Amino acid sequence: MAARSIALMYQHRWEMPYLVDTDFGTKLTLHFFRTFCLMDLVCGMMDYKDQLNILTGWFHHLGYMYLMTLFINRSIGHLMVIFFIEEIPTAVMAFGIIFPLLRTDYGFGITFFIFRLGFHFFGLVLVFTLRSDPALGYYWLFALVTLLLHAHWFQG
């Protein structure tokens, strides 16, 4: 998902006409992420119930599933996929779980700060400044709520 995000940013930068568009690869990425969220909830209920709380588990995953559906139906998927670069810290964390000897808490913390807080703040400012576009309207609120959730996680 992060690779698709990087490819879109490299190819189209932050051009407004492109942000409010969706192509096949983007739809596929959004469907994949929506399915991943569902499967993470299902597996979480079976394998790690203690880590699946109401805010960071249920609200987070169901909210993203709803957003993926909105972005697909409104054909503004590129805007969402660009934010998938924020999954790089998740990959760093997963790599450390799979290969415990290579676990790096600092690597996770640094990438989390750069992407989930820094990049997301940049994206929030962009979406907020473009809010007058009818295609984007209130989506800056979703970006704001997500940034607050990321700040909550970073603090904990």
Side-chain angles (χ1 to χ4, degrees):
M1 290 187 320
R4 177 74 176 148
S5 172
I6 293 167
L8 285 177
M9 283 189 286
Y10 178 77
Q11 185 178 11
H12 299 285
R13 310 290 188 264
W14 287 89
E15 299 167 5
M16 180 57 191
Y18 187 73
L19 290 177
V20 292
D21 194 7
T22 300
D23 60 19
F24 177 76
T26 295
K27 283 184 182 178
L28 189 64
T29 304
L30 293 172
H31 284 301
F32 173 81
F33 188 61
R34 187 171 55 181
T35 304
F36 171 80
C37 287
L38 176 64
M39 293 310 300
D40 198 25
L41 284 173
V42 169
C43 292
M45 288 187 299
M46 294 185 295
D47 296 328
Y48 46 91
K49 285 183 183 180
D50 58 321
Q51 296 177 25
L52 195 61
N53 68 44
I54 195 74
L55 176 63
T56 60
W58 291 97
F59 178 76
H60 174 75
H61 284 74
L62 293 173
Y64 271 112
M65 290 168 62
Y66 173 73
L67 276 178
M68 295 311 103
T69 303
L70 275 180
F71 279 80
I72 291 168
N73 291 340
R74 296 190 179 178
S75 295
I76 56 172
H78 289 152
L79 179 65
M80 183 67 202
V81 170
I82 283 177
F83 281 91
F84 283 169
I85 195 168
E86 295 176 24
E87 292 301 316
I88 288 174
T90 306
V92 171
M93 181 176 57
F95 191 75
I97 291 170
I98 295 169
F99 304 104
L101 292 175
L102 300 176
R103 178 181 166 155
T104 168
D105 291 344
Y106 286 117
F108 173 73
I110 290 167
T111 57
F112 191 96
F113 182 80
I114 290 170
F115 294 108
R116 295 267 177 115
L117 295 174
F119 179 84
H120 196 91
F121 179 77
F122 169 76
L124 169 62
V125 170
L126 175 73
V127 175
F128 182 77
T129 59
L130 299 174
R131 72 187 180 284
S132 61
D133 184 290
L136 295 181
Y138 61 90
Y139 286 104
W140 68 272
L141 290 169
F142 291 116
L144 176 62
V145 168
T146 305
L147 181 63
L148 294 173
L149 181 61
H150 292 170
H152 169 72
W153 285 342
F154 190 71
Q155 160 185 43

